[in-house]
Amino acid sequence: MTTPVEMSRDRFDPSPALRELAGQPGLPRFTSVFGPARLAVRHEDVRAVYGNSVEFSNGAQTRLQGTESADVGFILGYDPPEHTRLRRMIAPEFTLRRMRAIQPRIVTIVDSALDALAAAGPGADLVSTFALPVPSLVICELLGVPYEDRDRFQLLTTRQLDFAVPLEERNQVGQEVAEYLRELVSRHQASPGDDLIGELIRLYGADLSFAELVGVSHMLLIAGHETTSNMLGLGSLLLLENPAQLAVMRDSPDAVEGAVEELLRYLSVVHFGLPREVVAEVTVGGDTLSVGELVVCSIVLANRDAAVVDDPDRLDLTRRATPHLAFGHGIHHCVGAPLARLEMAIAFPALLRRFPTLRLAVPAAEIPFHTTGPVYGVQSLPVAW
């Protein structure tokens, strides 16, 4: 599969082809992985699209993917008022107060993963031993998914998100994931636990349908490990290649929060959000968009917009806080952002302090990248210490 231009990178940076497209005025037309579309690349334009749920709809997602995902409560495919109702139920589970309550457990999970990494070393694959297990165990515990099932759902969700896999096969994988989650939700309904699914059942059992519980679980399971694990893997590679920046993350506790935000901005592991369909004529970036047109928003380009960020192609973990769109914007802003931030703020410094001599075990040019999915990262990261 040829990498679609909106997913193309030059290691950590937007590809030359993507930058060339971005150099066109307005919202240039191009052939996206979803078909003919417009590309929003400037920070202001992406905010305008993401922040407008009146002229833009997320409902096209189901039709474009050829799936029934929106029919089973997959909240990302919802528009108001359905989205508003579901979001209001889920959001309280991800408040800063709730995150602080689970922080000690995340610390324990990270420490256990580092113990396993040390036992596997002095050389190991950082992705399979650290970047994947940490967020997977966190989201498993949060949702009440048996951790022994992690390998199964990781394999399934990875294939479901891989655009190189034929659509028919991706749909089949999606059905397998949905069937697994139906069984999981049924068990929770019979005996609600202290996890998020159990809490939703206890609080909103009469207002949430079975299908919506399955859909919410599906979204959180995928988002809860796919994005954070890729941030941990890709971010580790970036830091290993930038020793001065690595030292900031490792040695300056007061700088960690801002350092995580700079990594989120600089790496933008989610290439783009779900495509938006124009449902009422609207003007963005000086272009008038017609009903039925699709708009793909390039998060990586918006986060490298010189109108918002000084010297945007420079990594600076001490940079003064700058607005970024790594978690989206508007009503679909990532509900799990506080959890992702907390995991990274714990995991990166802990890794670098536990292994102060951490280094790449192979030449940087040999590191394989994910190039056929909506979330960017490294497939493996051989390290030594």
Side-chain angles (χ1 to χ4, degrees):
M1 172 184 175
T2 301
T3 302
V5 65
E6 68 270 36
M7 294 161 53
S8 60
R9 304 275 184 119
D10 181 8
R11 301 193 80 241
F12 306 112
D13 300 320
S15 71
L18 186 56
R19 289 190 188 273
E20 181 180 356
L21 191 60
Q24 300 180 23
L27 275 64
R29 300 178 188 274
F30 77 115
T31 301
S32 76
V33 70
F34 307 103
R38 298 286 196 110
L39 185 67
V41 299
R42 283 164 281 280
H43 192 277
E44 178 183 8
D45 296 342
V46 171
R47 280 179 58 91
V49 174
Y50 282 166
N52 185 344
S53 58
V54 176
E55 278 87 14
F56 294 97
S57 169
N58 264 31
Q61 167 67 7
T62 303
R63 174 175 55 77
L64 290 167
Q65 294 294 338
T67 70
E68 301 300 320
S69 56
D71 292 338
V72 292
F74 198 77
I75 189 173
L76 293 181
Y78 276 29
D79 293 318
E82 293 85 359
H83 173 272
T84 308
R85 179 178 66 86
L86 283 178
R87 176 89 180 202
R88 190 176 295 124
M89 298 177 189
I90 301 168
E93 302 300 321
F94 291 92
T95 61
L96 287 175
R97 180 178 62 82
R98 293 286 181 93
M99 294 304 101
R100 291 192 188 102
I102 66 172
Q103 181 170 345
R105 182 58 187 146
I106 296 176
V107 170
T108 299
I109 289 170
V110 168
D111 287 344
S112 296
L114 293 175
D115 289 343
L117 179 60
D125 172 24
L126 195 65
V127 170
S128 61
T129 58
F130 185 73
L132 272 175
V134 167
S136 293
L137 184 51
V138 170
I139 199 64
C140 281
E141 290 198 2
L142 192 66
L143 286 178
V145 175
Y147 190 53
E148 57 268 22
D149 291 348
R150 70 192 185 283
D151 289 339
R152 178 184 176 192
F153 77 68
Q154 279 177 1
L155 176 63
L156 290 174
T157 55
T158 297
R159 292 194 66 73
Q160 188 180 11
L161 293 175
D162 189 345
F163 286 107
V165 175
L167 179 59
E168 183 177 350
E169 184 177 341
R170 276 189 282 135
N171 287 341
Q172 178 60 42
V173 170
Q175 290 302 317
E176 290 184 47
V177 174
E179 181 57 36
Y180 168 77
L181 291 171
R182 290 187 196 104
E183 296 172 3
L184 179 71
V185 170
S186 293
R187 295 199 299 270
H188 280 278
Q189 286 183 320
S191 179
D194 296 330
D195 47 75
L196 191 149
I197 298 177
E199 185 75 0
L200 290 175
I201 290 170
R202 280 192 297 273
L203 292 176
Y204 308 108
D207 300 318
L208 270 174
S209 70
F210 178 80
E212 286 172 336
L213 278 168
V214 171
V216 166
S217 302
H218 191 181
M219 178 199 71
L220 294 175
L221 187 62
I222 293 176
H225 82 270
E226 191 71 24
T227 51
T228 307
S229 66
N230 278 290
M231 273 297 301
L232 290 176
L234 190 64
S236 294
L237 173 61
L238 179 64
L239 292 174
L240 288 172
E241 294 189 6
N242 292 270
Q245 302 298 315
L246 183 152
V248 172
M249 182 69 82
R250 183 190 61 213
D251 302 330
S252 304
D254 292 342
V256 168
E257 184 177 329
V260 166
E261 296 305 310
E262 173 69 349
L263 286 179
L264 285 163
R265 179 200 72 83
Y266 189 84
L267 293 174
S268 302
V269 294
V270 178
H271 299 290
F272 47 81
L274 298 184
R276 301 309 202 254
E277 182 175 17
V278 180
V279 293
E281 187 176 285
V282 62
T283 299
V284 177
D287 283 348
T288 299
L289 308 179
S290 303
V291 172
E293 285 194 278
L294 290 180
V295 178
V296 174
C297 293
S298 175
I299 294 174
V300 63
L301 286 172
N303 282 343
R304 299 287 187 98
D305 189 341
V308 177
V309 184
D310 292 334
D311 197 5
D313 291 326
R314 177 174 58 87
L315 176 69
D316 180 3
L317 298 193
T318 63
R319 186 190 296 273
R320 188 174 63 182
T322 56
H324 66 74
L325 298 164
F327 291 117
H329 175 69
I331 65 170
H332 288 284
H333 180 273
C334 177
V335 70
L339 176 62
R341 286 182 164 112
L342 180 58
E343 289 183 73
M344 286 183 276
I346 293 171
F348 278 124
L351 169 69
L352 300 174
R353 291 171 191 156
R354 179 72 177 271
F355 299 97
T357 59
L358 193 70
R359 64 188 186 278
L360 293 180
V362 298
E366 295 181 11
I367 302 296
F369 291 84
H370 290 295
T371 59
T372 57
V375 184
Y376 189 60
V378 290
Q379 296 178 30
S380 61
L381 186 59
V383 293
W385 54 88

